[in-house]
Amino acid sequence: NCIDEKASQQDMAKSRIPFEYRDYCAKLLIPLNKCRGETFYLPWKCETERHAYEKCQYDDFKRRMKEQQAKAEEED
């Protein structure tokens, strides 16, 4: 998986992460948003952080789809 530990509720609240983004990958969103703030959201900055966050989102999506498919197959 993309990360071993999740961000705590306190970390997410302190970083002002919106509730809809407090998911499995929030631990990677905190440094990404910090970098974005420090670089005025310049698109060519924070590429490493952005790529790590987007890959985590994609891997989480694949994991959830696999779980959903396995659950659907159990029901058949």
Side-chain angles (χ1 to χ4, degrees):
N1 292 349
C2 51
I3 53 176
D4 294 330
E5 62 183 62
K6 295 180 182 177
S8 69
Q9 290 295 328
Q10 292 84 5
D11 290 342
M12 290 186 281
K14 191 171 105 177
S15 299
R16 298 182 306 196
I17 303 293
F19 286 110
E20 61 268 20
Y21 292 99
R22 295 184 184 192
D23 60 5
Y24 186 75
C25 300
K27 185 83 173 178
L28 298 171
L29 184 58
I30 293 170
L32 173 59
N33 282 346
K34 183 177 182 208
C35 179
R36 285 172 167 169
E38 292 170 352
T39 59
F40 306 103
Y41 281 78
L42 293 172
W44 57 89
K45 301 287 185 175
C46 311
E47 288 179 344
T48 304
E49 293 89 344
R50 183 171 44 92
H51 178 73
Y53 177 70
E54 289 174 351
K55 180 169 181 356
C56 182
Q57 289 281 301
Y58 178 69
D59 290 344
D60 187 42
F61 171 77
K62 287 194 315 185
R63 180 188 58 79
R64 288 184 284 116
M65 291 301 108
K66 208 178 270 188
E67 286 175 4
Q68 188 178 21
Q69 187 177 19
K71 187 176 179 181
E73 288 173 1
E74 278 180 10
E75 293 173 357
D76 288 344

